[in-house]
Amino acid sequence: MELGATSARQSLSSSWERHQGQHLQCADPSTVKTRKPYTITKQRERWTDEEHQKFLEALRLHGRAWRKIEEFIGTKTAVQIRSHAQKFFSKVERLKETGETEKVIE
């Protein structure tokens, strides 16, 4: 019986090692997606009051449809808008925590 148990353990062990080896293999390089290089197309610039007001209006109209907001604003890219939105939403949360909700619209 001991011989059978040892053999079964070895078989199970080899099966597990083969299975683990499958997870360690690298993906086929021809199927791996590569990221486009990040290029800065415009110099950083502050958002004007007019752009921010357009952003707020577009946010009310289109939600988080960044391309539609980009078209609505006209002077900022979708990437810039997402970044602005992220900072804006963080500010809104921070102001809610401090009870300064009247400053949210600014």
Side-chain angles (χ1 to χ4, degrees):
M1 181 87 48
E2 183 63 34
L3 183 60
T6 303
S7 178
R9 219 174 315 158
Q10 287 173 341
S11 176
L12 187 58
S13 177
S14 332
S15 174
W16 183 81
E17 288 169 357
R18 280 194 308 275
H19 179 71
Q20 288 302 103
Q22 291 173 356
H23 291 289
L24 297 176
Q25 292 174 354
C26 294
D28 178 8
S30 65
T31 63
V32 175
K33 285 187 176 181
T34 57
R35 247 181 224 215
K36 288 193 278 185
Y38 179 74
T39 55
I40 299 173
T41 56
K42 290 184 178 179
Q43 188 64 25
R44 287 184 183 253
E45 54 189 57
R46 293 185 51 83
W47 281 63
T48 64
D49 289 338
E50 181 183 351
E51 287 170 330
H52 183 66
Q53 291 307 314
K54 281 185 175 183
F55 165 76
L56 294 175
E57 179 68 22
L59 202 55
R60 287 185 200 102
L61 292 171
H62 304 294
R64 294 178 184 226
W66 308 122
R67 294 285 178 206
K68 288 183 180 181
I69 294 173
E70 178 183 18
E71 291 172 13
F72 189 88
I73 294 174
T75 57
K76 300 290 184 184
T77 66
V79 172
Q80 290 171 315
I81 292 165
R82 283 194 311 268
S83 175
H84 185 69
Q86 182 179 25
K87 291 172 190 163
F88 174 73
F89 295 141
S90 293
K91 181 180 179 181
V92 168
E93 286 303 311
R94 194 172 55 252
L95 292 173
K96 282 182 183 177
E97 289 172 4
T98 61
E100 300 179 65
T101 52
E102 67 277 358
K103 291 186 179 180
V104 169
I105 297 175
E106 295 175 4

